[in-house]
């Protein structure tokens, strides 16, 4: 039986935490109780609520790039230009079959619609693999205010490991999405690399740019008082590149580097949203920008998104590429072990662009 208002009274914050985090109901379960008011621990600080009011005040837009343009150097130039000026762009005609995208979106709904008992098998406490985690918010233990989002995070180790541990409801679709998007990812990394004097993506560069991959299935349920909270708080990604598949609901906003305005990323059917992550900003010595973004909560629709985080190998040492500093450019970042950088990111709440200071010289 689904919990109803009469059976679940959230009188105090501890009960909400117990229900959402510990019992594995997530905010989806909370939303489905029919609560009419946002629980206190989801109310964001004043400055975040202020941003919610002003997100749609600009007509700026991130670039949309058609990857099927036969003049490939034009595509490469557009990609690198967007990476420098926006840190974000959308790609269309990218060669990943649309059916693959539809399948992984359907699988995301299928997973989140499973009974709580099923999903709870994948919480931090219960999951048989540290690479598979069903959770809620970002870092509930570190956050002062929680975020209105549930997720399933899948860190890829091997097909065999995924076959064994990833949830049946979505594993085939997630693997297919990951595998079918590889060619596009390589292409984008080649474009970005060439512009940094990286002649080819050899084995070494490959493990630096795309040595590990994580897929998240994100679920943003209908939210009471959406203007008081966020789906995801301000942050930049720690990846080298993030490939985002979003549904038609919208809500992702990016901070414009030129104006500081928050710019909506409108859903374009069949597209991916691509963004530069901190690892790429560091490797490019700041030429490519990893940009702050956030997601609004929504009062009338459930939203899903499926990002692929393309990362260095955890043990990689990342710093400005030798090819970049060869011409005498001063390094802005020191060398850091990638896993240390990521650990630092997850240890604290979302806080805009502060993570990258960890690597500044």
């Amino acid at each position: 039986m689904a919990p109803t208002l009469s059976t679940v009274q959230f009188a105090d914050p501890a009960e909400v935490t117990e229900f959402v985090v510990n019992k594995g109901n997530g905010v989806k379960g909370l939303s489905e109780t029919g609560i009419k008011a946002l629980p206190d621990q989801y109310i964001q600080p004043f400055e975040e609520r202020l941003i919610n009011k002003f997100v749609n005040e600009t007509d700026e837009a991130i670039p949309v790039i058609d990857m099927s343009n036969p003049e490939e150097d034009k595509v490469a130039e557009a990609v690198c230009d967007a990476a420098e000026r926006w840190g974000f762009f959308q790609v269309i005609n990218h060669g990943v079959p649309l059916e693959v995208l539809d399948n992984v979106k359907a699988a995301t709904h299928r997973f989140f619609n499973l009974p709580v008992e099923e999903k709870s098998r994948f919480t931090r406490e219960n999951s048989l693999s540290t690479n598979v985690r069903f959770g809620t918010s970002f870092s509930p233990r570190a956050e002062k205010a929680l975020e209105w989002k549930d997720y399933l995070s899948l860190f890829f180790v091997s097909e065999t490991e995924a076959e064994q541990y990833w949830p049946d409801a979505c594993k085939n679709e997630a693997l297919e999405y990951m595998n079918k998007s590889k060619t596009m990812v390589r292409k984008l990394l080649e474009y970005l690399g060439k512009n940094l004097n990286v002649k080819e993506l050899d084995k070494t560069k490959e493990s630096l740019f795309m040595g590990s991959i994580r897929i998240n299935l994100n679920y943003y349920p209908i939210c009471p008082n959406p203007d008081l909270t966020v789906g995801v708080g301000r942050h930049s990604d720690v990846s080298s590149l993030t490939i985002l598949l979003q549904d038609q609901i919208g809500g992702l906003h990016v901070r414009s580097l030129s104006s500081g305005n928050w710019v909506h990323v409108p859903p374009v059917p069949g597209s991916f949203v691509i963004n530069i992550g901190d690892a790429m900003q560091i490797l490019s010595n700041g030429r490519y920008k990893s940009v702050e973004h956030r997601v609004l909560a929504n009062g009338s629709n459930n939203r899903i998104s499926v990002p692929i985080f393309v990362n260095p190998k955890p043990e990689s040492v990342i710093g400005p590429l030798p090819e970049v500093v060869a011409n005498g450019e001063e390094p802005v970042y020191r060398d850091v072990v990638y896993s240390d950088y990521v650990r630092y990111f997850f240890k604290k709440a979302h806080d805009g662009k502060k993570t990258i200071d960890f690597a500044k010289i």
Side-chain angles (χ1 to χ4, degrees), residues 10 32 51 57 71 73 80 82 88 102 129 144 153 155 169 185 190 207 217 222 225 242 245 247 286 314 319 321:
F10 299 112
E32 288 167 359
I51 295 173
E57 304 280 302
E71 297 186 66
D73 51 342
C80 296
F88 261 85
D102 290 339
S129 163
K144 287 191 185 63
S153 188
F155 183 78
V185 168
E190 277 168 8
S207 88
L217 278 50
I222 293 171
N225 319 113
T242 302
L245 173 63
D247 64 13
L321 291 165

Side-chain angles (χ1 to χ4, degrees), residues 292-323:
E292 268 184 282
H293 50 287
R294 67 202 296 278
V295 175
L296 293 179
N298 190 307
S300 42
N301 293 102
N302 299 314
R303 173 180 183 266
I304 58 159
S305 71
V306 195
I308 295 179
F309 300 101
V310 180
N311 308 312
K313 275 206 163 66
E315 64 274 19
S316 293
V317 173
I318 59 166
L321 291 165
E323 290 88 341

Side-chain angles (χ1 to χ4, degrees), residues 82-88 257 275-278 280-281 284 286-291 353:
E84 291 182 26
R85 294 193 311 120
W86 276 98
F88 261 85
L257 286 168
N275 66 281
I276 301 294
D278 291 357
M280 182 64 79
Q281 179 167 329
S284 72
R287 179 181 301 184
Y288 299 142
K289 312 292 192 299
S290 167
V291 165
K353 283 283 297 173

Side-chain angles (χ1 to χ4, degrees), residues 47-325:
E47 55 276 24
E48 295 307 316
R49 303 197 311 259
L50 198 59
I51 295 173
N52 287 350
K53 291 212 182 351
F54 292 104
V55 286
N56 293 324
E57 304 280 302
T58 175
D59 53 5
E60 294 165 273
I62 71 167
V64 178
I65 300 170
D66 185 343
M67 289 187 75
S68 67
N69 184 337
E71 297 186 66
E72 200 177 359
D73 51 342
K74 290 266 196 302
V75 179
E77 192 185 337
V79 165
C80 296
D81 185 57
E84 291 182 26
R85 294 193 311 120
W86 276 98
F88 261 85
F89 52 96
Q90 301 202 60
V91 293
I92 54 173
N93 299 323
H94 41 63
V96 185
L98 297 185
E99 167 189 38
V100 172
L101 311 191
D102 290 339
N103 289 347
V104 78
K105 284 192 279 195
T108 301
H109 281 287
R110 191 160 55 239
F111 174 78
F112 285 101
N113 285 332
L114 291 172
V116 173
E117 307 74 65
E118 288 284 305
K119 289 184 290 195
S120 302
R121 293 177 24 217
F122 303 101
T123 58
R124 173 182 240 160
E125 293 68 44
N126 301 339
S127 185
L128 297 172
S129 163
T130 51
N131 299 317
V132 177
R133 176 173 306 164
F134 167 59
T136 189
S137 192
F138 174 64
S139 286
R141 295 177 172 85
E143 292 164 307
K144 287 191 185 63
L146 297 176
E147 300 177 350
W148 196 260
K149 174 186 107 167
D150 298 331
Y151 65 87
L152 174 70
S153 188
L154 304 166
F155 183 78
F156 180 78
V157 177
S158 68
E159 296 271 345
T160 322
E161 205 259 4
E163 200 48 58
Q164 192 176 351
Y165 295 112
W166 290 14
D168 290 338
C170 57
K171 77 174 157 206
N172 295 342
E173 294 80 3
L175 282 169
E176 188 186 36
Y177 169 45
M178 185 185 80
N179 290 326
K180 288 278 199 285
S181 59
K182 276 243 168 75
T183 311
M184 175 193 72
V185 168
R186 274 196 69 92
K187 198 102 229 108
L188 291 170
L189 289 170
E190 277 168 8
Y191 295 156
L192 293 165
K194 279 215 174 72
N195 191 40
L196 299 173
N197 300 321
V198 173
K199 299 289 176 274
E200 57 157 349
L201 275 188
D202 56 19
K203 283 281 165 274
T204 318
K205 287 294 186 286
E206 204 166 274
S207 88
L208 210 49
F209 285 145
M210 51 185 298
S212 69
I213 289 188
R214 179 185 296 282
I215 299 186
N216 276 14
L217 278 50
N218 293 328
Y219 193 94
Y220 302 92
I222 293 171
C223 180
N225 319 113
D227 46 335
L228 298 182
T229 190
V230 289
V232 179
R234 288 184 298 127
H235 70 289
S236 63
D237 295 347
V238 289
S239 56
S240 32
L241 209 57
T242 302
I243 313 300
L244 178 82
L245 173 63
Q246 60 169 345
D247 64 13
Q248 70 303 332
I249 305 298
L252 170 64
H253 289 82
V254 171
R255 185 175 237 161
S256 161
L257 286 168
S258 57
S259 70
N261 290 329
W262 289 95
V263 178
H264 187 232
V265 180
V268 172
S271 73
F272 287 116
V273 179
I274 311 285
N275 66 281
I276 301 294
D278 291 357
M280 182 64 79
Q281 179 167 329
I282 291 167
L283 291 164
S284 72
N285 201 31
R287 179 181 301 184
Y288 299 142
K289 312 292 192 299
S290 167
V291 165
E292 268 184 282
H293 50 287
R294 67 202 296 278
V295 175
L296 293 179
N298 190 307
S300 42
N301 293 102
N302 299 314
R303 173 180 183 266
I304 58 159
S305 71
V306 195
I308 295 179
F309 300 101
V310 180
N311 308 312
K313 275 206 163 66
E315 64 274 19
S316 293
V317 173
I318 59 166
L321 291 165
E323 290 88 341
V324 175
V325 290

